[in-house]
Amino acid sequence: MDLAFTPDEQAFREEIRSWVKANLPADIAQKVHNALRLSRDDMQRWAKILGKKGWLGHGWPKEFGGPGWNAVQKHLFEEECALAGAPRVVPFGPVMVAPVIMAFGNKEQQERFLPGIASGEVWWSQGYSEPGSGSDLASLKCKAERQGDHFVVNGQKTWTTLGQYGEWIFCLVRTSSEGKPQTGISFLLIDMKSPGVSVRPIKLLDGECEVNEVWFDNVKVPAENLIGEENKGWTYAKHLLSHERTNIADVNRAKRELERLKRIAKAEGVWDDIRFRDQIALLEVDVVALEMLVLRVLSAEKSGKNSLDIAGLLKIRGSEIQQRYSELMMLAAGPYSLPFIEEAMDAGWQGDFPGGVVANAPLASTYFNMRKTTIYGGSNEVQRNIVAQTVLG
């Protein structure tokens, strides 16, 4: 196993670093480095810049318009973007539904949907979870009845991330109640402008509406929007979730946020506290260990061996690390991390008291938001069971 990067890979890293430095808007990078709110325009602007270069679908093969990078090149691209302060690519289009369309969609569907995803022009949402159907996703009830050349969809999806911006949504829907729950699910692409689709934002503890409810009331969906075969959607969903859980680990963002934690600790005078610095050191060890785990997977793929089936483990460790660095930032800033007045922050207020600096203003919001990471994408309790079954049999 060789975890060192070759001279060619180091040259590739330098190429990516130079391009990102020249093309990443400074105002967006400043927001990312300080964990300030990113607007839809901010996220879409960066997506279109990547799309114009042909790098929004950086994991895509050349046959579908991607750069055809190998696993190591993809990792280096993601790392350089994260360290530079680029927004995390909204994954629902390029990282999640696109691989499903490539693997299971027909040629007409690929030609219709992939260009809009690759360019960053079309915003996709994910319609998986429902009330009562989260980790036990196979129990979903949102129903699609076939009526001639279309389906009629009725039901609800929830926790739809950034669904208020969505233009299209890929959904798991129930098309049969026969047999096991998994055998009656289909994978459907739905235009969110269709009559009968309504989106209701859910205001969270941090004051944001990051997630939404999506309701379907007799929504007509052309049968040509069905991916693959009817009642085979569970197979396609598992293919997608392997991409989602690896993406959730987000070790590159953890490395960037670790450096931000150190800056806050130094600015707030707790860097010289040995016990606090021990906590930062413990976190850094875990971040490095997670990175080594990712590099082991990359090394296996590069050498042509079967990559380690550890998507669940990456998700568990990555999500726990995200919670820990957000908590340590709160502890470093102490009482200065507590004030959170959404309307005042929208107007540009960052605090008129000692310690009320731009770096501290969003700490409470980030901390509250990160409580979700051990739940979404399959709760960590469920993921541990999956890992145990995979490793122990």
Side-chain angles (χ1 to χ4, degrees), residues 33-44:
H33 280 305
N34 290 288
L36 300 177
R37 175 187 295 140
L38 291 168
S39 67
R40 183 189 194 279
D41 176 68
D42 292 330
M43 293 180 277
Q44 197 82 339

Side-chain angles (χ1 to χ4, degrees), residues 194-208:
S194 303
V197 178
S198 57
V199 179
R200 304 177 189 175
I202 302 171
K203 195 158 190 172
L204 302 179
L205 189 60
D206 65 355
E208 299 291 340

Side-chain angles (χ1 to χ4, degrees), residues 9 16 35 40 61 63 84 113 153 161 211 238 254 301 336 384:
E9 289 164 350
I16 297 297
R40 183 189 194 279
E63 63 183 289
F113 293 110
V153 181
T161 303
V211 292
K238 289 191 293 184
E301 291 185 9
Y336 302 130
R384 286 188 176 90

